[in-house]
Amino acid sequence: MDSAPEAFDRLLRERSAALLRTAYLLTGDRHLAEDLLQAALTKTYLRWSSLRDEAAAEAYVRKVMVSVYTRWWQRKWNGERPTAELPDVELLDPYGAADEREYVRTLLTSLPRRQRAVIVLRFYEDMSEKDIAEALGISPGTVKSTASAAMARLRSMVADEASPVPTPHEKGAP
């Protein structure tokens, strides 16, 4: 067999993907599989001089993986511990962004058409006041005052606790 570093590097290059698949099939978890393979490769490297060829080395890695995995499985698990208080963890709402977009769309549809057009062109299309004025056939001053009135109306609708604009979830609520 070649020198240990060269032969070991060749084993890593040529067989690490297959070995990782085996580790994944044993553990069922990508991260645990990577840990398992790393532990097995470390043990293999330390015993490299006693292995007769690369095929024997690959078989040895697989044997070590099964042995290490079995020890992990037999060892008393110390992962989670019950506590009296739950930690404050911010959970991401996968639908929050969609709900927010729908809420903003609902707010926009409650604006008069010109105000809605000015807000959409200004903030969604990022057009200048001059370009909006040309597109809508109004003066730049009218664009400014219309945008100001629309923003004031949107702020009041959001802040108004007495008659809030219903979010999509509240529309069907009794």
Side-chain angles (χ1 to χ4, degrees), residues 96-115:
D99 290 344
E100 189 173 312
R101 283 191 302 271
E102 178 62 21
Y103 180 63
V104 169
R105 190 195 63 73
T106 302
L107 288 173
L108 286 173
T109 59
S110 69
L111 292 175
R113 289 177 187 234
R114 181 184 279 181
Q115 287 182 356

Side-chain angles (χ1 to χ4, degrees), residues 36-90:
L36 178 61
L37 180 57
Q38 184 176 6
L41 288 172
T42 301
K43 290 178 181 286
T44 302
Y45 187 78
L46 294 174
R47 294 276 321 254
W48 194 263
S49 61
S50 65
L51 301 172
R52 61 184 181 278
D53 59 17
E54 289 179 38
E58 184 176 350
Y60 184 77
V61 172
R62 291 180 194 282
K63 181 179 176 184
V64 170
M65 277 196 297
V66 171
S67 151
V68 169
Y69 176 69
T70 304
R71 270 187 266 124
W72 285 357
W73 177 65
Q74 291 171 343
R75 185 177 19 176
K76 183 179 175 186
W77 185 68
N78 294 319
E80 296 178 6
R81 290 185 175 32
T83 62
E85 294 181 30
L86 293 175
D88 283 337
V89 177
E90 182 180 341

Side-chain angles (χ1 to χ4, degrees), residues 104-120 123-124 146-157 165:
V104 169
R105 190 195 63 73
T106 302
L107 288 173
L108 286 173
T109 59
S110 69
L111 292 175
R113 289 177 187 234
R114 181 184 279 181
Q115 287 182 356
R116 185 180 337 148
V118 168
I119 293 299
V120 168
F123 296 104
Y124 285 92
T146 303
S148 176
M151 291 303 292
R153 184 167 179 171
L154 289 170
R155 284 187 197 101
S156 71
M157 286 189 292
V165 175

